[in-house]
Amino acid sequence: MSTARARILEATEELLATKDALAISTRAICDRAKVGMPEIYRQFGDKQGLLTAVADIGFERFLAEKRKNPLTDDPVADLRTAWDSHVAFALRNPHLYRLMFTPTGDAKPGGIKEAQAILLTAVERCRDAGRLRTSPELAGRSILSANVGVCMMALSFPDLFGDSDTAPAVRDAVIGKVTGDEREDSRIGTATVLAQALVATLTGTPTPDGATLDRLTAALRPPAPPSET
């Protein structure tokens, strides 16, 4: 890696610590890296190529943390640990995380495939233990989609979705649904029930009482106040 390339990547990462990718100008990157504007195009083709390279670096760090997650005798508990570490990474690196998981150009970060592969291995451990209701591939896609969705909502609407209960509630609903390890937890309310229905739709499995998503939603509405006579 050339010195100029390394400086450009480092400068972009530093700017991403406080700004979203779309708010960072190539001029700001060049000024911070102490290079001329043509150097970005020489090294990366264009700004989008630079951002893809930075996203790949983000995935390298994300996946390194994933590989450090401990393995226990309970593969379902390990899935929950992996979910929590994913959320923690997103909250520590909000702008980098958005760049990683919402790429805007044609080039996509290659790390997403390895993230899927790591999750698939974790889900296959659940299958091998007899604790999986659907195919590992579909379970992995469902879990990763829900995990990313929870993080994006927390980052984009922290006042509405950044509380400490939402991510664990959806985690337990989604993982519980695909593994059959549903839990009774007084913290889990409407978000959990709707997430269970969503995963049931994705996996083709029935909800516990056979209710449809519309019926579940209706059942969760607060009762109308009694009419005065």
Side-chain angles (χ1 to χ4, degrees):
M1 181 183 291
S2 72
T3 301
R5 183 181 179 89
R7 290 204 308 271
I8 292 170
L9 289 170
E10 182 179 1
T12 307
E13 288 185 83
E14 290 172 352
L15 290 167
L16 274 171
T18 57
K19 292 183 179 180
D20 218 31
L22 294 178
I24 299 174
S25 68
T26 52
R27 171 55 62 192
I29 294 169
C30 291
D31 288 347
R32 195 177 192 94
K34 294 182 171 54
V35 298
M37 190 78 70
E39 195 65 36
I40 286 182
Y41 299 93
R42 186 179 302 115
Q43 296 289 342
F44 303 97
D46 55 19
K47 182 184 178 184
Q48 188 57 52
L50 167 59
L51 293 178
T52 300
V54 173
D56 280 329
I57 292 174
F59 267 108
E60 289 175 9
R61 296 176 183 169
F62 175 77
L63 294 170
E65 291 188 15
K66 285 289 183 185
R67 296 186 194 100
K68 292 179 182 177
N69 286 336
L71 296 181
T72 70
D73 293 334
D74 187 341
V76 177
D78 292 346
L79 274 181
R80 293 191 177 94
T81 298
W83 174 291
D84 291 343
S85 71
H86 184 132
V87 173
F89 181 91
L91 296 180
R92 289 197 312 271
N93 306 278
H95 304 300
L96 177 60
Y97 184 87
R98 284 197 187 93
L99 178 62
M100 290 163 55
F101 285 95
T102 58
T104 56
D106 293 334
K108 309 298 181 186
I112 187 65
K113 294 181 180 179
E114 189 171 351
Q116 282 183 301
I118 290 175
L119 180 55
L120 180 61
T121 298
V123 172
E124 286 173 340
R125 291 182 65 228
C126 297
R127 177 202 59 195
D128 295 344
R131 300 176 67 184
L132 196 64
R133 286 179 166 178
T134 185
S135 71
E137 293 78 12
L138 183 53
R141 291 197 303 271
S142 299
I143 293 169
L144 185 56
S145 296
N147 210 170
V148 173
V150 162
C151 292
M152 288 299 181
M153 295 301 281
L155 296 179
S156 299
F157 305 97
D159 292 342
L160 295 176
F161 299 98
D163 61 276
S164 60
D165 290 335
T166 298
V170 178
R171 175 201 66 198
D172 289 346
V174 174
I175 293 176
K177 190 66 186 178
V178 299
T179 64
D181 195 38
E182 288 111 336
R183 295 175 167 184
E184 290 294 330
D185 189 331
S186 60
R187 297 173 307 158
I188 300 176
T190 303
T192 301
V193 178
L194 292 177
Q196 288 174 328
L198 172 60
V199 176
T201 301
L202 289 171
T203 60
T205 57
T207 53
D209 60 357
T212 63
L213 180 58
D214 288 342
R215 287 171 56 197
L216 276 170
T217 305
L220 289 168
R221 294 194 186 103
S227 58
E228 296 182 2
T229 58

